[in-house]
Amino acid sequence: MNISTFSVKRPVFTFVTMLLVIILGGVSLTNIPLKLIPDINPPVGVIVTNYPGASPEEVSEKVTKPLEESLSTLPGIQNIRSTSQEGSNFILMEFSWTTSIDDVQDEITQRINQTPIPDGSNLPRFLKFDPSQFPVIQLSLSTSSEDKSINQIAETLELELTRVPGVASVNLSGTVEEEIVIELDQEALEDNGLGQQDITNVLQASNISQPGDTVLTEDKQLTTRVVSLLTSVEDVRKLVVGQSPQTGEDVLIDDVAQVNKKERDISSITRANEKDSVLISVLQQSDANTANVSREFQTKLNELLDREEYQDVQADILFDQGDYITQSISNIATSLVLGGIFAMLVLFFFLRNVRSPLIIGVAIPYSVIVTFVLMYFSDFALNIMTLGALALGIGMLVDNAIVVIENIYRHLQMGKDSKTAAIDGAKEIGTAITASTLTTVAVFVPVLFVSGLIGELFTEFALTISFSLLASLVVALTVIPMLAAKFLKKVPGNQEARRRRSKALRFLENSIRWTLHHRMMVTILTLALLGGSIFALSKVGTEFLPATDEGFFTVRVDLEAGTNLQETDRVVKSIEKVLENQEEIDVYVSLIGSTQENSARGSVSTNIAEISVKLAPLAEREKSVFEVVDELQSKIKREAKKENESAEVSVNLQTAAGSSPQTLTFDVRDTSKERLDSSIEKLEKELADVDGVTEFSTDRSNTIDEISIEINTEKAREVGLLPAQLAQVVNDATRGALTTQIQETNGEVYNVYVQYDRDVTSTMEGLENLSIKTPTNSFIKLNELATIEVAEGPVELRRINREEAVQFELRYSPSLSLSEISSRVDAAIEKAALPSESTIAFGGDRELLENSINDMILAVVLAIILVYIVMAAQFESFKYPFVIMFTVPLMIIGVSLGLYVTSTPISITAIIGVIVLAGIVVNNAIVIVDYINQLKDRGESSLDAIVTAVKDRARPIFMTALTTILGLLPLSLGIGEGTELNQPMAITVIGGLISSTLLTLYIIPMVYSWFDPQTRRMKN
């Protein structure tokens, strides 16, 4: 007794099993997390070192290069990129995708510890990539009230919002902290024989809380603590720092300095829609559900803002990954539902029977529920890849069910009763649909072996489709026959005989017979179509992954090194005026004096700024983010240049997968700086003339004016000072010294800084006249001990793989594909005739595509081989699977036509579509060839068996093709957020299915006739 017969004869058992799976599926679905894309953990690590006061050259020579030397031989290391700037360095290590950072973390730490680091430097810190360290929500807070401080409001809200379930931390940027500043009066210090270090020493010695040893008293052992704490600004002012040389009276800090509580000097400015604001970044816990965190956070935020004390506070959501995830998944889920409805309509159209579509209506959700159970136990998330797999699979999902129910219905039309028709129909087609399902599943096996970013993205996709197909096979062989036996009724008369005599089937029979008698002509026409389609494919271009419209972009502003914060702010304000008039823009947040990346590292630079721009939802705007950016770029650059000629403005987009669309990047490296500079100049000249490049920029380091203080060691030694002592005095005087911390009675903690009056240290003249206290308590001017002059120095030094390097970033027109712009840039590089020592390495999408394309081609070839092997095992023959494989080239005709007509470049998702097709297109041929063999076994001649098989199987073939095509139609139109990534895959599958379905009905019978001894020598 086979599984179908068992299901028909034991309907209660089948039903309760079905009910159990539905319950499991419901529980699984509620516990599957929602995410945007599968978790991607790129094998990268970062080393950060702070070396206070060191120049970029010092950092590079003493810290960066020794670390590079130690790390360059790590197992699996591919690239080491380093940036050395004043006071710090940043080293990015890229490993091969087969390397786990966790496996090499101990060795990295060991190598760092073995590297000699100068005394003045902090120890290097190793950080590995962690997706949970990227914010899932960003918003700005501003207030229209002048009575309330937005900083205090933000800090209060931060405490409340951190309690939201799933939130790991809430970070604020743009807040201004208060501190206690002691501004020294240089003349008063000199009159009293004091220096900055004396004030610092007294403060540190007067603000202590130090434990002592235990003391035994009255049979108790008590701990001791010596306490002398400063608790207010007044305490600091009244602190005695010495005696006056003239009068012998106590000298208070108040006598030689001004002590005030004040806001820290502003090094960066944050604004939202031109209002002063605070930027809030929300990080989620690593195991949290992004969509749930987003919903809970926004609910809590709205509750808080509804309170009376926050009535004047406005919150603007800049970025919410949870919202985008929910919209994307909702759009793909809609495509999935529409696909199911289309499948039911197709069934009704062909069978003209209401009950058959209803049975399919039960089969679709049941197959999806089974898939959810398998996804849950495989620890998958619902994201645009797994839901895209279900949307792609929805048409394929019903294929097995349609073939079974159509065959059962055909047996009913022969006059059989419901139970017999269900058993005979399922049994007759069981082998064919098992073979076709296994061949489709087989094509995804090679995808599991693809490494790198593509492997991370598409592994869950491949397994989800495989789960859904296996689920649909089980449903088609169990639930469908059981339901058909219960609900489909015996058809009066022999309607099958009438159907065979219909005009459509007579036309099909005549055309098949004509094809079999004109095989050479049909072959030549097919080869011509194939040749034309290959030519068309060469014209569509290539790209890595399709760009996704997330309605978000950033504007980066770079001014001449050394530009002050006020000038940078002026340029940003001119850009904000342009953004204000763009109706598609919802909110924009300006960060002046830093970028979000630099802010995370804790570094600021007054000559840079970043504006984050969020557009209105896609449904509420007519233009895509790409059109908005194209329209704004020239306006923004023009306005920025009007304000400051040195302003360099770039607009940056990012896709869901993390790549930048319409961007080509490459590095130029050389061991010689002079040769590298020459190569850069040649390339800049050639790239300026490349057609289609809208802008290009380099990260070539500029120089910055700096004040050079060269110590006269002999004069310093004469007054009893060493160069290091003098350098420390100047450092403390110009930067200010963080001396101690004071905790007031209300619990607030303030840092205490000791610094000179800014009039002394903010000008060249003031610095020259800085009084230096000598060991003999005399004073001498700095310009008497050192030569002070303005000199040039580099802003930062960049290296890649221990060579000097410069990165080029090109933006190109959206009308060009990655392959087209790459060929033009390659020609420009060749024309530049660079020396052989200067090497070029491409990055970004081009590097990812080049690294992935070989794996993907191998996956396609392996998929085709596996399909053949599975069919050979099923048919116990090498000949018939070979006949079936002739359907594979037929799909190329439709694929090329679909991509060419829709102007869709060949991308990784399109290639995944081809892999899917390799498993789908053979299904129709399997059904035909299997039925031909069955008819021949019943005694029919080969010619009649071929013609009859095509006639009998044409209806299910058209039905399954149409359900898959219509199921993918919503996805192929790319409507709504999040569908762009799967759109090329849908177009590819639809095009390939159309051509292979139509041609399979003619080409497979023709090829079969060549292999069959009876029809091999058949003549016209």
Side-chain angles (χ1 to χ4, degrees):
M1 183 185 295
N2 65 28
I3 189 170
S4 301
T5 307
F6 178 84
S7 301
V8 172
K9 291 183 176 180
R10 298 284 300 275
V12 175
F13 179 88
T14 307
F15 178 77
V16 294
T17 305
M18 184 177 167
L19 196 63
L20 176 63
V21 172
I22 289 171
I23 293 168
L24 281 174
V27 174
S28 300
L29 181 58
T30 56
N31 287 286
I32 296 175
L34 289 178
K35 294 186 178 179
L36 183 61
I37 57 174
D39 288 333
I40 297 173
N41 294 300
V44 295
V46 168
I47 293 173
V48 180
T49 315
N50 290 323
Y51 188 3
S55 68
E57 291 101 327
E58 283 182 285
V59 173
S60 178
E61 292 298 326
K62 295 180 180 179
V63 180
T64 305
K65 287 183 179 179
L67 281 171
E68 287 177 341
E69 185 76 29
S70 298
L71 300 167
S72 61
T73 54
L74 282 168
I77 192 87
Q78 287 189 327
N79 291 304
I80 298 179
R81 300 170 181 268
S82 67
T83 302
S84 303
Q85 57 192 31
E86 185 178 352
S88 67
N89 80 343
F90 179 84
I91 299 174
L92 176 69
M93 298 174 292
E94 299 173 9
F95 293 84
S96 65
W97 281 87
T98 54
T99 303
S100 168
I101 289 290
D102 293 331
D103 293 342
V104 294
Q105 184 172 350
D106 290 342
E107 189 162 354
I108 292 171
T109 306
Q110 188 179 354
R111 299 278 182 99
I112 291 172
N113 294 336
Q114 290 172 351
T115 305
I117 300 295
D119 292 336
S121 170
N122 297 337
L123 290 175
R125 291 175 294 132
F126 170 67
L127 309 166
K128 63 181 179 181
F129 179 88
D130 184 359
S132 65
Q133 294 307 305
F134 290 90
V136 292
I137 303 171
Q138 278 192 326
L139 66 145
S140 65
L141 285 181
S142 55
T143 180
S144 55
S145 171
E146 295 181 3
D147 301 328
K148 297 177 183 176
S149 164
I150 190 62
N151 298 308
Q152 291 175 349
I153 293 169
E155 286 167 6
T156 307
L157 287 173
E158 177 194 5
L159 295 173
E160 295 279 353
L161 294 171
T162 306
R163 297 175 188 154
V164 172
V167 170
S169 65
V170 176
N171 300 332
L172 305 181
S173 58
T175 55
V176 181
E177 294 180 12
E178 281 194 318
E179 59 193 15
I180 295 172
V181 179
I182 302 173
E183 286 189 311
L184 303 174
D185 182 328
Q186 183 169 245
E187 287 184 16
L189 284 174
E190 199 169 332
D191 289 344
N192 289 286
L194 297 169
Q196 183 179 7
Q197 190 61 44
D198 296 321
I199 308 298
T200 300
N201 290 342
V202 169
L203 275 165
Q204 289 173 339
S206 303
N207 190 40
I208 61 162
S209 175
Q210 191 169 327
D213 205 352
T214 55
V215 173
L216 191 65
T217 173
E218 296 180 1
D219 301 325
K220 290 184 180 179
Q221 189 168 315
L222 304 177
T223 58
T224 58
R225 179 169 293 277
V226 181
V227 180
S228 175
L229 295 175
L230 302 171
T231 59
S232 67
V233 170
E234 198 59 35
D235 287 350
V236 176
R237 288 178 180 149
K238 292 178 179 177
L239 204 60
V240 177
V241 289
Q243 280 77 40
S244 168
Q246 288 84 20
T247 63
E249 294 179 359
D250 288 345
V251 177
L252 309 179
I253 286 183
D254 202 29
D255 296 329
V256 294
Q258 287 192 354
V259 184
N260 293 298
K261 190 188 293 181
K262 58 167 66 174
E263 291 183 346
R264 183 177 294 177
D265 287 345
I266 296 173
S267 56
S268 65
I269 301 168
T270 305
R271 277 197 303 272
N273 289 356
E274 301 178 51
K275 292 180 186 175
D276 287 341
S277 66
V278 171
L279 188 65
I280 296 181
S281 300
V282 181
L283 279 64
Q284 72 173 22
Q285 293 167 1
S286 56
D287 58 345
N289 184 321
T290 308
N292 287 348
V293 170
S294 167
R295 186 170 57 254
E296 295 278 350
F297 182 87
Q298 291 209 39
T299 302
K300 183 66 175 177
L301 179 64
N302 291 332
E303 281 178 13
L304 290 170
L305 295 183
D306 284 340
R307 294 180 185 174
E308 191 174 342
E309 64 262 38
Y310 300 126
Q311 287 299 309
D312 300 318
V313 178
Q314 182 180 349
D316 292 301
I317 302 287
L318 181 65
F319 173 73
D320 186 348
Q321 200 180 91
D323 259 359
Y324 185 74
I325 290 169
T326 305
Q327 289 169 6
S328 300
I329 288 176
S330 174
N331 288 328
I332 294 176
T334 302
S335 299
L336 198 150
V337 172
L338 286 173
I341 292 169
F342 285 147
M344 292 169 67
L345 290 174
V346 167
L347 202 62
F348 177 74
F349 176 78
F350 276 96
L351 298 184
R352 304 299 169 96
N353 177 286
V354 176
R355 295 186 179 187
S356 298
L358 290 177
I359 292 171
I360 293 295
V362 172
I364 294 172
Y366 184 55
S367 298
V368 172
I369 286 167
V370 174
T371 307
F372 285 147
V373 175
L374 295 172
M375 284 175 64
Y376 174 74
F377 287 109
S378 300
D379 202 23
F380 289 176
L382 277 178
N383 51 56
I384 58 175
M385 297 310 298
T386 51
L387 268 176
L390 281 174
L392 178 64
I394 194 72
M396 298 155 58
L397 209 66
V398 295
D399 283 359
N400 290 333
I402 282 176
V403 171
V404 170
I405 205 164
E406 190 278 339
N407 208 45
I408 291 171
Y409 195 74
R410 195 170 62 82
H411 279 266
L412 281 171
Q413 289 179 322
M414 292 178 185
K416 295 180 182 179
D417 64 83
S418 300
K419 189 172 282 190
T420 307
I423 293 171
D424 291 350
K427 184 178 179 181
E428 186 178 74
I429 208 72
T431 304
I433 66 168
T434 303
S436 64
T437 302
L438 290 176
T439 54
T440 309
V441 170
V443 301
F444 294 108
V445 173
V447 177
L448 303 180
F449 295 100
V450 174
S451 59
L453 178 62
I454 296 305
E456 298 264 336
L457 276 175
F458 286 100
T459 296
E460 288 187 11
F461 172 89
L463 287 172
T464 302
I465 283 194
S466 300
F467 292 160
S468 66
L469 290 174
L470 292 170
S472 75
L473 176 64
V474 174
V475 170
L477 292 176
T478 57
V479 176
I480 296 296
M482 184 269 287
L483 293 175
K486 284 287 179 186
F487 296 107
L488 292 185
K489 301 303 178 187
K490 183 176 178 181
V491 178
N494 192 340
Q495 291 188 14
E496 178 63 14
R498 286 200 295 272
R499 191 178 72 87
R500 286 171 180 271
R501 294 193 296 271
S502 66
K503 287 182 180 179
L505 278 185
R506 285 208 307 272
F507 172 78
L508 181 61
E509 180 179 348
N510 292 336
S511 59
I512 295 295
R513 290 185 184 276
W514 186 91
T515 301
L516 292 172
H517 290 95
H518 297 83
R519 291 180 294 188
M520 192 55 66
M521 185 189 299
V522 174
T523 302
I524 292 168
L525 283 171
T526 305
L527 289 174
L529 279 172
L530 197 57
S533 63
I534 292 170
F535 176 76
L537 272 181
S538 66
K539 296 296 180 184
V540 296
T542 57
E543 64 180 359
F544 176 57
L545 287 173
T548 52
D549 184 348
E550 298 189 32
F552 182 84
F553 65 90
T554 58
V555 180
R556 166 78 182 244
V557 182
D558 288 88
L559 276 71
E560 185 180 8
T563 304
N564 62 37
L565 190 66
Q566 290 70 30
E567 178 63 17
T568 307
D569 187 31
R570 202 163 62 84
V571 173
V572 170
K573 283 179 177 176
S574 71
I575 295 173
E576 288 176 336
K577 291 296 179 189
V578 177
L579 299 176
E580 183 185 12
N581 299 321
Q582 192 74 26
E583 61 181 20
E584 289 82 10
I585 292 176
D586 183 22
V587 61
Y588 49 91
V589 174
S590 306
L591 188 58
I592 302 110
S594 188
T595 64
Q596 291 203 41
E597 182 184 343
N598 288 354
S599 186
R601 288 193 221 166
S603 65
V604 293
S605 183
T606 57
N607 67 311
I608 64 172
E610 185 178 69
I611 307 172
S612 301
V613 184
K614 178 197 173 191
L615 303 186
L618 192 58
E620 296 174 21
R621 55 185 159 96
E622 295 179 359
K623 296 175 184 174
S624 70
V625 67
F626 312 109
E627 291 169 325
V628 172
V629 166
D630 281 346
E631 188 178 308
L632 284 176
Q633 269 189 115
S634 56
K635 293 180 187 176
I636 288 172
K637 289 177 183 175
R638 188 167 57 247
E639 291 302 317
K641 286 283 184 186
K642 274 185 192 176
E643 293 297 326
N644 190 305
E645 276 297 320
S646 71
E648 294 292 334
V649 179
S650 60
V651 182
N652 304 300
L653 286 159
Q654 260 200 339
T655 66
S659 60
S660 300
Q662 267 71 59
T663 304
L664 183 69
T665 59
F666 63 89
D667 301 316
V668 186
R669 310 172 195 171
D670 205 312
T671 52
S672 163
K673 189 176 186 308
E674 292 74 21
R675 198 164 49 227
L676 178 64
D677 289 339
S678 171
S679 296
I680 297 304
E681 287 173 10
K682 289 178 183 177
L683 279 172
E684 286 177 335
K685 183 180 175 184
E686 294 300 332
L687 291 172
D689 299 327
V690 173
D691 187 32
V693 173
T694 55
E695 65 166 308
F696 73 86
S697 59
T698 70
D699 62 0
R700 193 178 188 179
S701 282
N702 297 317
T703 56
I704 185 174
D705 287 343
E706 61 182 16
I707 295 174
S708 170
I709 303 172
E710 190 172 338
I711 297 170
N712 186 322
T713 52
E714 286 188 18
K715 286 184 179 179
R717 191 171 64 251
E718 285 173 8
V719 296
L721 291 171
L722 294 170
Q725 292 174 300
L726 197 54
Q728 187 62 49
V729 169
V730 173
N731 185 63
D732 288 346
T734 53
R735 290 174 178 265
L738 173 58
T739 304
T740 187
Q741 285 186 319
I742 287 179
Q743 183 172 358
E744 293 189 340
T745 52
N746 61 5
E748 293 287 337
V749 178
Y750 296 92
N751 290 332
V752 179
Y753 283 87
V754 179
Q755 63 188 44
Y756 276 87
D757 187 318
R758 296 305 294 166
D759 292 339
V760 175
T761 57
S762 62
T763 64
M764 185 84 160
E765 184 183 354
L767 197 59
E768 289 174 341
N769 292 315
L770 181 68
S771 292
I772 308 294
K773 185 182 177 184
T774 67
T776 59
N777 288 333
S778 61
F779 289 86
I780 187 169
K781 300 298 180 187
L782 179 61
N783 60 5
E784 295 179 40
L785 299 175
T787 303
I788 305 172
E789 59 186 10
V790 176
E792 282 190 343
V795 179
E796 56 189 15
L797 299 171
R798 290 188 177 90
R799 286 159 57 88
I800 298 175
N801 295 338
R802 300 158 68 194
E803 291 183 312
E804 300 282 342
V806 171
Q807 186 181 71
F808 278 78
E809 186 170 272
L810 287 80
R811 316 252 174 214
Y812 56 90
S813 168
S815 61
L816 294 176
S817 66
L818 178 63
S819 57
E820 288 171 317
I821 196 65
S822 292
S823 61
R824 294 180 189 184
V825 170
D826 287 345
I829 292 171
E830 191 174 343
K831 192 176 176 184
L834 303 182
S836 58
E837 294 88 354
S838 293
T839 58
I840 289 179
F842 283 90
D845 280 7
R846 176 162 169 178
E847 181 189 23
L848 290 167
L849 180 63
E850 288 174 351
N851 290 345
S852 306
I853 199 71
N854 290 334
D855 282 346
M856 297 309 296
I857 291 170
L858 179 63
V860 171
V861 173
L862 283 175
I864 293 169
I865 293 170
L866 282 172
V867 166
Y868 178 81
I869 290 170
V870 169
M871 287 193 299
Q874 289 282 331
F875 281 95
E876 194 59 36
S877 166
F878 291 109
K879 180 172 71 173
Y880 296 122
F882 187 70
V883 171
I884 293 167
M885 292 306 292
F886 276 88
T887 55
V888 174
L890 300 179
M891 71 183 181
I892 296 171
I893 297 168
V895 169
S896 63
L897 187 64
L899 295 178
Y900 187 78
V901 169
T902 57
S903 300
T904 304
I906 299 170
S907 61
I908 297 299
T909 47
I911 296 173
I912 292 286
V914 171
I915 293 174
V916 172
L917 271 173
I920 297 175
V921 296
V922 296
N923 294 346
N924 296 336
I926 288 172
V927 170
I928 290 174
V929 170
D930 180 65
Y931 196 45
I932 291 172
N933 291 340
Q934 285 186 39
L935 293 173
K936 283 170 65 179
D937 291 342
R938 294 175 193 171
E940 289 196 30
S941 67
S942 294
L943 181 59
D944 289 340
I946 290 170
V947 175
T948 304
V950 174
K951 283 170 61 182
D952 286 356
R953 293 292 177 250
R955 186 168 66 177
I957 284 172
F958 279 126
M959 287 166 70
T960 54
L962 266 175
T963 52
T964 305
I965 289 167
L966 291 174
L968 288 174
L969 194 59
L971 210 57
S972 69
L973 296 175
I975 299 168
E977 287 96 338
T979 56
E980 301 99 332
L981 204 60
N982 290 308
Q983 189 180 11
M985 186 160 43
I987 291 170
T988 301
V989 174
I990 287 174
L993 260 182
I994 289 171
S995 64
S996 65
T997 301
L998 293 174
L999 293 172
T1000 294
L1001 295 174
Y1002 297 96
I1003 303 302
I1004 293 304
M1006 184 183 73
V1007 175
Y1008 190 98
S1009 70
W1010 270 329
F1011 281 84
D1012 190 275
Q1014 287 186 31
T1015 54
R1016 189 177 300 147
R1017 301 188 182 279
M1018 182 173 61
K1019 297 191 177 165
N1020 293 350

